[in-house]
């Protein structure tokens, strides 16, 4: 993308409405703009980040056998009346009516809809287990939308749903999701701690929240310092092997970690290295048994032919919230420091003298090498402003092209995360980046 022709409206001043670093930086770096309270437009660079996160989430869901699909945002009220949640959900649900006076709603989550779809198509225990997911916009009419995309009213969520013939099967599905989540957050460049959690209005009795530690987080958390050292690198876990899954699950959950709702003082007293802090909930997984399948009449024929009510779980990731949470975890006074895996552009090419034949040619050569995926700062303006914008936007690499180096094909390569700079040929720089 050529910056001179892009809609990436960076701002020098600190926006007064933003209370936390990620919100300020998302506005300043031109990633999003608010269009109504708690509702955001994703501008080109922000949309790239959101898509990168969604891609990693999708890959790790599929790696444990979950199937990608897409359900609508607008739902009929009928199914919610069947589950009993239409009235129970309260004012957080955005209710609408169509021209025929039929009650509709903008989905805050999709348990009912998927239970209905499975009810229509799955008839036998042989068709289970099933795990399905989609990444779709949700609407919750939050009382206090705040911190930008962190607590929005419209937000992007990955929600997965599992259907198993019995409790034992549901536990295996739950553990598959635990595995997928730990791998997902690792690839996103953050440490998310799984914490025993309250199930809230969703219900059920087995639940974990995934919390990224940050001083601005909304949840109070208690955890064992062992989590800070724990390395969740891609372990060889066969997701088809229940013993493997159990071992992995026990390994990542055996240290004490809880939010204030589930804080157990007796268990806490036994933790040797106690840590208290604040954190951002970026994911939440639930097992809730037959809470929806039972009232909605979902049954399948069991092994002996008698009807069985499947056990379900649901598994959420706050995809749009993660953009803010990643920035809370990775920034400095100058701006965002994107992890390579989610950066909107792998590198920015900074042309220090637009119009100089040597600079222009070397920049074009660099830009062509990225096949349009890098950002080319071809704006005719002072170098200082370009450097400031590059640091603010947080590109992992900066390729700086000035007239002196250009004459001999040399560039300055800066790594945003460390500030480290080196002079090298364009070829050597490209080899380092890719
Ligand atoms: N049906 C279940 C799981 S699929 C569910 O809705 N879970 S949830 O309510 O915990 O939401 C899942 C994730 O969405 C949360 O962990 C959080 O990261 C994100 N989320 C929830 N509310 C908001 C919001 N208002 N703004 C941004 N992200 C949100």
């Amino acid at each position: 993308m050529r910056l001179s022709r892009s809609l990436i409206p960076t701002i020098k001043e600190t926006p007064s409405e933003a209370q936390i670093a990620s919100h300020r930086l998302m506005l300043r770096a031109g990633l999003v703009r608010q269009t109504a309270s708690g509702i955001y437009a994703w501008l080109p660079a922000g949309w790239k980040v959101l898509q990168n996160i969604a891609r990693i989430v999708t890959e790790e869901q599929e790696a444990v056998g979950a199937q990608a699909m897409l359900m609508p945002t607008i739902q009929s009220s009928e199914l919610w009346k069947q589950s009993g949640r239409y009235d129970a959900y309260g004012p957080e649900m955005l209710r609408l009516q169509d021209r025929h006076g039929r009650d509709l709603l903008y989905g805050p989550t999709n348990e009912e809809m998927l239970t209905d779809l499975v009810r229509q198509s799955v008839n036998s225990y042989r068709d289970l287990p099933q795990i399905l997911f989609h990444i779709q916009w949700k609407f919750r009419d939050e009382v206090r939308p705040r911190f930008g995309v962190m607590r929005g009213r419209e937000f992007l969520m990955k929600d997965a749903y599992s259907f198993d013939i019995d409790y034992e099967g549901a536990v295996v599905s739950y553990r598959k999701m635990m595995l997928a989540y730990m791998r997902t957050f690792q690839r996103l460049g953050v440490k998310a701690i799984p914490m025993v959690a309250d199930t809230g209005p969703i219900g059920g009795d087995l639940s974990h929240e995934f919390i990224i530690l940050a001083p601005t987080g909304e949840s109070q958390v208690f955890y064992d310092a062992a989590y800070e050292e724990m390395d969740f690198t891609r372990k060889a876990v066969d997701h088809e092997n229940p013993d493997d899954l159990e071992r992995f699950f026990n390994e990542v959950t055996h240290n004490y970690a809880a939010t204030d709702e589930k804080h157990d003082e007796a268990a806490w007293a036994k933790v040797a290295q106690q840590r208290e802090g604040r954190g951002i909930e970026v994911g939440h997984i639930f097992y809730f048994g037959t809470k929806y399948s039972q009232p909605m009449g979902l049954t399948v024929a069991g092994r002996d032919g008698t009807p069985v009510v499947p056990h379900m779980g649901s598994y959420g990731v706050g995809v749009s919230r993660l953009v803010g949470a990643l920035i809370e975890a990775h920034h400095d006074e100058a701006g965002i420091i994107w992890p390579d895996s989610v950066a909107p552009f792998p590198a920015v090419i900074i042309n220090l003298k637009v119009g100089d034949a040597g600079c222009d040619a070397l920049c074009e050569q660099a830009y062509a090498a990225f096949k349009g995926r890098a950002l080319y700062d071809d704006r005719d303006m002072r170098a200082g402003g370009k450097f400031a914008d590059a640091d603010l936007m947080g590109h992992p690499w900066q390729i700086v092209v000035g007239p002196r180096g250009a004459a001999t094909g040399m560039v300055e390569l800066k790594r945003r995360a460390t500030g480290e700079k080196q002079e090298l040929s364009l070829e050597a720089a490209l080899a380092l980046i890719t």
Side-chain angles (χ1 to χ4, degrees):
M1 215 179 256
R2 286 172 200 272
L3 196 43
S4 65
R5 292 184 220 156
S6 305
L7 187 67
I8 305 181
T10 55
I11 313 171
K12 254 214 224 86
E13 305 72 33
T14 301
S16 58
E17 74 267 34
Q19 298 162 23
I20 61 171
S22 60
H23 189 191
R24 280 196 291 275
L25 290 171
M26 287 183 74
L27 293 171
R28 288 193 53 215
L31 302 180
V32 292
R33 287 293 181 264
Q34 182 171 278
T35 59
S37 170
I39 303 179
Y40 288 84
W42 294 79
L43 301 184
W47 176 234
K48 278 181 182 289
V49 177
L50 201 59
Q51 282 178 297
N52 288 341
I53 296 174
R55 178 177 38 79
I56 290 172
V57 169
T58 298
E59 285 172 5
E60 295 303 334
Q61 289 289 297
E62 291 185 332
V64 296
Q67 309 160 72
M69 65 179 296
L70 184 61
M71 288 178 273
T73 54
I74 303 292
Q75 306 189 20
S76 156
S77 63
E78 292 310 314
L79 299 173
W80 288 72
K81 287 174 183 159
Q82 288 175 23
S83 74
R85 277 210 291 184
Y86 189 62
D87 295 323
Y89 216 93
E92 269 201 8
M93 180 187 277
L94 182 65
R95 296 155 207 261
L96 337 151
Q97 260 187 3
D98 68 12
R99 61 166 68 191
H100 306 293
R102 283 190 283 256
D103 292 328
L104 302 172
L105 56 103
Y106 195 118
T109 178
N110 286 66
E111 279 84 359
E112 283 80 356
M113 188 178 275
L114 192 57
T115 302
D116 177 51
L117 292 166
V118 168
R119 177 172 66 178
Q120 291 175 39
S121 314
V122 172
N123 302 308
S124 158
Y125 73 94
R126 282 191 211 89
D127 305 326
L128 298 182
Q130 294 272 348
I131 307 180
L132 296 136
F133 75 98
H134 71 163
I135 295 179
Q136 179 61 289
W137 296 95
K138 303 292 186 291
F139 195 95
R140 293 183 186 173
D141 205 351
E142 302 273 353
V143 192
R144 270 183 75 201
R146 58 184 185 149
F147 300 156
V149 300
M150 210 80 96
R151 181 166 296 281
R153 293 200 296 165
E154 188 184 54
F155 59 97
L156 191 60
M157 193 202 286
K158 183 286 296 180
D159 37 325
Y161 303 87
S162 65
F163 299 82
D164 281 88
I165 196 69
D166 54 19
Y167 173 77
E168 287 67 32
V171 168
V172 172
S173 293
Y174 189 90
R175 290 174 179 161
K176 283 183 187 173
M177 283 292 142
M178 177 64 77
L179 173 62
Y181 276 48
M182 297 320 289
R183 287 174 169 173
T184 300
F185 296 125
Q186 173 105 14
R187 280 182 66 189
L188 293 175
V190 283
K191 188 155 282 180
I193 304 177
M195 303 205 174
V196 178
D198 217 21
T199 46
I202 305 273
D205 53 48
L206 180 53
S207 175
H208 284 86
E209 286 179 26
F210 295 80
I211 305 270
I212 293 177
L213 299 171
T216 50
E218 287 192 298
S219 324
Q220 175 73 16
V221 294
F222 305 83
Y223 63 98
D224 188 329
Y227 274 112
E228 283 169 354
E229 281 104 58
M230 208 157 169
D231 184 9
F232 299 120
T233 39
R234 183 170 277 272
K235 292 191 169 52
V237 182
D238 174 4
H239 75 272
E240 299 285 12
N241 180 341
D243 295 335
D244 259 28
L245 287 171
E246 183 173 8
R247 197 156 28 79
F248 179 83
F249 184 83
N250 291 340
E251 209 174 308
V252 301
T253 58
H254 84 274
N255 294 315
Y256 185 93
T259 58
D260 48 2
E261 298 112 4
K262 275 273 169 165
H263 186 43
D264 174 345
E265 285 297 342
W268 179 237
K270 296 190 195 118
V271 176
Q273 296 175 273
Q274 296 182 341
R275 294 284 184 279
E276 272 182 61
R278 302 204 64 84
I280 303 166
E281 180 203 312
V282 290
H284 201 160
I285 62 179
F286 307 84
Y287 160 74
F288 45 70
T290 60
K291 183 177 158 109
Y292 300 95
S293 42
Q294 179 77 52
M296 294 185 67
L298 164 63
T299 59
V300 299
R303 278 194 183 76
D304 60 2
T306 57
V308 177
V309 181
H311 287 237
M312 294 173 56
S314 75
Y315 314 89
V317 170
V319 176
S320 51
R321 173 178 291 185
L322 264 166
V323 179
L326 292 182
I327 295 173
E328 287 297 327
H330 300 287
H331 71 273
D332 60 15
E333 1 15 276
I336 301 168
I337 305 171
W338 286 119
D340 295 281
S341 59
V342 297
F345 306 97
V348 61
I349 300 152
I350 301 177
N351 188 338
L352 291 183
K353 198 164 185 197
V354 174
D356 174 274
C359 284
D360 291 353
L362 197 59
C363 285
E364 290 294 343
Q365 193 188 328
Y367 185 51
F370 284 100
K371 301 189 169 67
R373 282 176 35 254
L375 184 67
Y376 175 18
D377 192 346
D378 59 342
R379 296 173 299 174
D380 192 3
M381 59 180 261
R382 281 190 316 106
K386 292 190 173 193
F387 290 137
D389 272 352
D391 282 350
L392 171 63
M393 286 188 247
H395 317 290
W397 298 96
Q398 298 173 12
I399 302 171
V400 183
V401 178
R404 215 163 0 97
T408 53
M410 299 293 281
V411 302
E412 185 185 78
L413 183 66
K414 176 177 156 183
R415 182 72 170 153
R416 175 67 177 89
T418 59
E420 200 183 319
K421 291 176 183 169
Q422 48 184 320
E423 294 262 338
L424 68 193
S425 69
L426 175 60
E427 287 69 32
L430 293 174
L432 256 182
I433 295 171
T434 50

